[in-house]
Amino acid sequence: TERDYQSYLDIFNSMINFVKPPDLLIYLKADIPKLVSQIQKRGRDFEYAIRLDYLKNLNEHYEDWTGQYKEGKLLVIDVNHLDFVENIEDFSFIVNKIDLELNNLFNQ
């Protein structure tokens, strides 16, 4: 709900006052079909109760939040066509993107 989201946002904003932001925030972005596929793949019974409208709402809030993130570097990686758990090349792709973002001399 909007109230829950606002509560989490308030907690985050309070924490930021006491904790240094990460050197790099990584957002593994996925569309609803990919999220559902991952839930099915994990096979956790409690996750099967997650509703599609909840996932849609969660994705929208993540988009809004990351769009306003100004605490440090943000790396958004679209994982819709990646399987970094089963495919070592996909995992390496993500690690390389992170490495480049953290160590690239041209990023300010």
Side-chain angles (χ1 to χ4, degrees), residues 62-107:
Y62 269 118
E63 286 296 314
D64 291 344
W65 188 78
T66 57
Q68 299 173 29
Y69 183 75
K70 305 288 186 250
E71 304 301 322
K73 287 184 179 184
L74 170 67
L75 175 61
V76 178
I77 302 174
D78 184 330
V79 296
N80 283 300
H81 303 290
L82 300 176
D83 185 351
F84 55 86
V85 174
E86 299 291 331
N87 186 331
I88 191 70
E89 290 84 12
D90 290 348
F91 180 77
S92 294
F93 171 79
I94 291 172
V95 170
N96 286 335
K97 284 188 104 33
I98 293 167
D99 188 47
L100 279 171
E101 192 66 31
L102 286 173
N103 298 308
N104 189 343
L105 297 174
F106 301 104
N107 285 342

Side-chain angles (χ1 to χ4, degrees), residues 10-63:
D10 291 344
I11 291 168
F12 171 78
N13 288 328
S14 294
M15 288 173 43
I16 287 298
N17 292 326
F18 300 103
V19 178
K20 180 183 171 200
D23 294 333
L24 179 63
L25 179 68
I26 303 164
Y27 173 31
L28 302 176
K29 181 179 177 177
D31 295 334
I32 303 302
K34 176 69 172 190
L35 296 174
V36 170
S37 170
Q38 293 302 105
I39 289 169
Q40 291 172 339
K41 190 186 234 182
R42 285 191 294 268
R44 299 175 185 156
D45 289 339
F46 67 92
E47 288 185 326
Y48 288 123
I50 296 174
R51 296 172 36 160
L52 291 179
D53 61 328
Y54 174 80
L55 292 176
K56 182 178 182 284
N57 190 27
L58 190 61
N59 258 6
E60 289 171 0
H61 282 303
Y62 269 118
E63 286 296 314

